[in-house]
Amino acid sequence: MSEPRPDRHDEPDPDETFEGIVDEATQRDPDLAVIEAGSRTLRAHSGQPQGEAVPARPADPETDKALRAVEQELAGRWGETKLEPSVTRIAALVDVLGEPQRAYPSIHITGTNGKTSTARMIEALLNAFELRTGRYTSPHVQSITERISLDGAPIAPERFIETYEDVKPYVEMVDAQQPYRLSFFEVLTGMAYAAFADAPVDVAVVEVGMGGTWDATNVIDSTVAVITPISLDHTDRLGTTPAEIAGEKAGVIKEGATVILAQQPVDAAQVMLKKAVEVDATVAREGMEFGVTSREIAVGGQLIGLRGLGGEYEEIFLPLYGAHQAHNAAVALAAVEAFFGIGAEQARSLDIDAIRKAFASVLSPGRLEVVRSSPTVVLDAAHNPAGAKAAAEGVSEAFSFSRLIGVVGTSADKDVRGLLEAFEPIFAEIVVTQNSTPRAMDADELAAIAVEVFGDERVQVEPRLDDALEAAITLAEEEDEYAGAGVLVTGSVITVGEARLLLGRG
């Protein structure tokens, strides 16, 4: 088995300053580059992990039957990729539900990559300060109940079913009044807002499904808007340039809000800043008002230093791999500081012990997640070129694989060539496959593109995911037992979720 590389114990350089980090940060690729600003030798102690990140099916047969019935009813609606871009239907639904989304303050998250991991970090930080949280994210890795979380854990299946039954009459009422029925995502969004109000929560952490302006989540008036790195994805819906995509995502910026802006392409940042000026929002920019000040590889993750809106936070252990997760952590911390009014209204830092405990508890299933050893099998839900580059960087940095086998199953509507090109330098061989959803790219079509990128000798085709996993593990085991080959399963959240189940993690 290839283990993550151990801690390094370099001496800190006292001459390095945040101004120097700012200069370096403004030049880096927003989602990939490592900001090296000295090192730390002390690791923080881990807190308790966040809840049950990926729940299994309900143990009670009757509950499982009822949950499957709800899932089947939801599946009969428009899927998440079939959209009629407006908030008309969701606005009608929350209106008849009594505007549950106005019962609590919220933090709204958009961007292209890193949204779910950032949402989980924000949630952990808020929980550390004894606030009751609701988190709404998508898509799910294995269970639909993952999408709606209370206090860091997925909503109980019984409560999920009850919430659906509670909103169902109102959903049917809106369906009857609209040209199109509410979509799968719109119903789930209404359920989440209702569940949060019923809990009740102190604050909701809400991730957009797609875009911003017309996303179903955008009926909330959040005091904090978070924009994770923007890159090309869903170009048929959002635009073909970062600036066009940013224009759509900027719709989450509300009047008088605080905008936490991760490092962005210049044209995307300009669009965001212009929108902020138009609505009199305050902007905090990564690399300027906040950022990563140090980062060291550590066993099980990384040790980071952050500069927040209220000061320095050193020696934070983050049990996630990859430079991109350190930058997600910086964004999450700034968002929580902004929520508490730090930076604009107050000049103080948050309690460092609470910050350390919160970050040490973060889980992000399917994001460079190790699920097996001998050989090591890692799952990552990268589904676009930017995400693939971040995953490739993270794997190369955190693991000392002598040979890495890729298992890739993608959706047909993605930039598959760009994703494969990002992984080509780190994969010795690739096993192409497909997941069980109608959106999946046919394995033979994917193989044709893979052969162009990798060459015929490095590509193997296994249409069934279980066969693909077995083939990849066999290829990894062809080396000596102690040689350190590994397997990375990637290409889609669905592929990763199904692989997770097959590998016994469900």
Side-chain angles (χ1 to χ4, degrees):
M1 172 183 174
S2 177
E3 295 289 348
R5 294 170 182 166
D7 301 53
R8 296 202 305 268
H9 299 291
D10 305 324
E11 290 299 320
D13 182 352
D15 293 328
E16 289 177 333
T17 64
F18 190 72
E19 286 69 25
I21 296 161
V22 168
D23 181 63
E24 184 177 350
T26 55
Q27 303 301 319
R28 67 175 174 81
D29 188 304
D31 205 26
L32 309 177
V34 178
I35 297 177
E36 292 293 349
S39 61
R40 302 293 180 267
T41 59
L42 178 67
R43 289 186 59 192
H45 295 291
S46 296
Q48 292 299 312
Q50 285 178 282
E52 183 184 17
V54 181
R57 296 296 310 184
D60 177 61
E62 290 302 313
T63 302
D64 187 51
K65 181 180 178 181
L67 181 59
R68 290 184 187 278
V70 172
E71 291 170 329
Q72 187 172 3
E73 288 188 29
L74 288 169
R77 295 181 173 274
W78 276 1
E80 290 173 277
T81 58
K82 186 173 182 180
L83 306 168
E84 191 276 315
S86 78
V87 293
T88 303
R89 291 175 303 281
I90 185 65
L93 178 60
V94 294
D95 180 58
V96 296
L97 289 174
E99 303 283 353
Q101 80 282 9
R102 304 199 189 284
Y104 38 79
S106 57
I107 297 174
H108 206 178
I109 306 168
T110 190
T112 302
N113 291 309
K115 295 188 296 295
T116 298
S117 293
T118 302
R120 286 181 171 276
M121 293 178 194
I122 291 172
E123 175 186 50
L125 289 164
L126 292 168
N127 288 158
F129 291 97
E130 300 184 354
L131 291 179
R132 186 161 206 212
T133 56
R135 172 173 52 83
Y136 182 51
T137 54
S138 60
H140 57 273
V141 177
Q142 286 174 204
S143 171
I144 194 171
T145 60
E146 295 167 40
R147 293 174 178 243
I148 304 173
S149 289
L150 295 171
D151 295 327
I155 190 172
E158 294 85 358
R159 194 163 188 173
F160 185 92
I161 296 163
E162 290 170 5
T163 303
Y164 177 74
E165 294 300 335
D166 285 345
V167 305
K168 184 177 178 180
Y170 302 98
V171 168
E172 292 173 345
M173 186 187 309
V174 173
D175 283 344
Q177 297 170 349
Q178 298 292 325
Y180 305 102
R181 292 202 311 159
L182 287 152
S183 70
F184 168 89
F185 187 74
E186 288 168 333
V187 175
L188 275 174
T189 301
M191 287 174 60
Y193 290 160
F196 296 161
D198 185 60
V201 301
D202 297 314
V203 55
V205 182
V206 178
E207 174 190 335
V208 303
M210 186 188 300
T213 301
W214 44 257
D215 187 76
T217 62
N218 204 30
V219 289
I220 53 176
D221 292 317
S222 297
T223 56
V224 178
V226 176
I227 320 292
T228 67
I230 290 173
S231 60
L232 299 183
D233 199 6
H234 300 295
T235 52
D236 57 328
R237 296 284 183 178
L238 303 179
T240 57
T241 67
E244 290 178 354
I245 294 172
E248 188 56 52
K249 293 181 183 291
V252 303
I253 301 174
K254 304 300 169 56
E255 185 174 353
T258 299
V259 183
I260 305 301
L261 194 61
Q263 284 274 322
Q264 304 290 349
V266 173
D267 54 348
Q270 290 173 337
V271 172
M272 293 289 179
L273 293 171
K274 181 180 178 182
K275 175 59 182 272
V277 170
E278 290 173 355
V279 298
D280 196 27
T282 302
V283 179
R285 300 153 295 176
E286 184 186 3
M288 299 300 286
E289 285 77 22
F290 69 93
V292 180
T293 58
S294 66
R295 201 174 73 84
E296 290 293 315
I297 311 297
V299 174
Q302 53 193 306
L303 191 67
I304 61 176
L306 302 175
R307 179 174 180 179
L309 305 179
E312 303 283 342
Y313 301 84
E314 299 294 345
E315 297 167 358
I316 297 168
F317 176 64
L318 181 66
L320 303 174
Y321 300 112
H324 58 295
Q325 294 289 17
H327 295 292
N328 289 340
V331 169
L333 176 61
V336 172
E337 287 181 309
F339 180 78
F340 287 131
I342 293 173
E345 301 171 16
Q346 306 174 49
R348 66 179 180 89
S349 297
L350 296 174
D351 180 72
I352 184 61
D353 291 333
I355 296 297
R356 287 172 177 157
K357 184 177 180 181
F359 276 122
S361 74
V362 172
L363 301 174
S364 196
R367 277 75 179 177
L368 291 182
E369 178 188 19
V370 178
V371 293
R372 172 187 162 141
S373 58
S374 300
T376 299
V377 178
V378 182
L379 308 180
D380 193 85
H383 55 273
N384 55 45
K389 289 176 184 177
E393 289 275 342
V395 167
S396 300
E397 175 186 79
F399 299 89
S400 53
F401 291 127
S402 58
R403 184 161 163 263
L404 184 61
I405 311 300
V407 175
V408 180
T410 69
S411 295
D413 59 346
K414 299 296 182 181
D415 181 359
V416 174
R417 181 180 295 275
L419 180 140
L420 293 176
E421 288 173 346
F423 283 122
E424 191 277 331
I426 69 166
F427 287 163
E429 297 179 65
I430 180 174
V431 182
V432 298
T433 187
Q434 63 191 76
N435 59 56
S436 64
T437 66
R439 290 180 59 198
M441 175 171 274
D442 178 78
D444 289 331
E445 292 180 27
L446 179 56
I449 301 172
V451 166
E452 294 177 4
V453 175
F454 289 84
D456 186 64
E457 294 183 357
R458 294 167 64 191
V459 178
Q460 183 171 332
V461 185
E462 295 290 348
R464 286 171 53 106
L465 181 56
D466 54 350
D467 293 336
L469 291 170
E470 183 178 351
I473 289 169
T474 300
L475 286 170
E477 290 175 336
E478 285 179 357
E479 288 198 355
D480 182 79
E481 180 182 357
Y482 302 102
V487 174
L488 175 63
V489 184
T490 189
S492 162
V493 175
I494 305 300
T495 301
V496 162
E498 293 181 354
R500 210 173 184 278
L501 280 171
L502 289 167
L503 292 165
R505 294 299 293 262

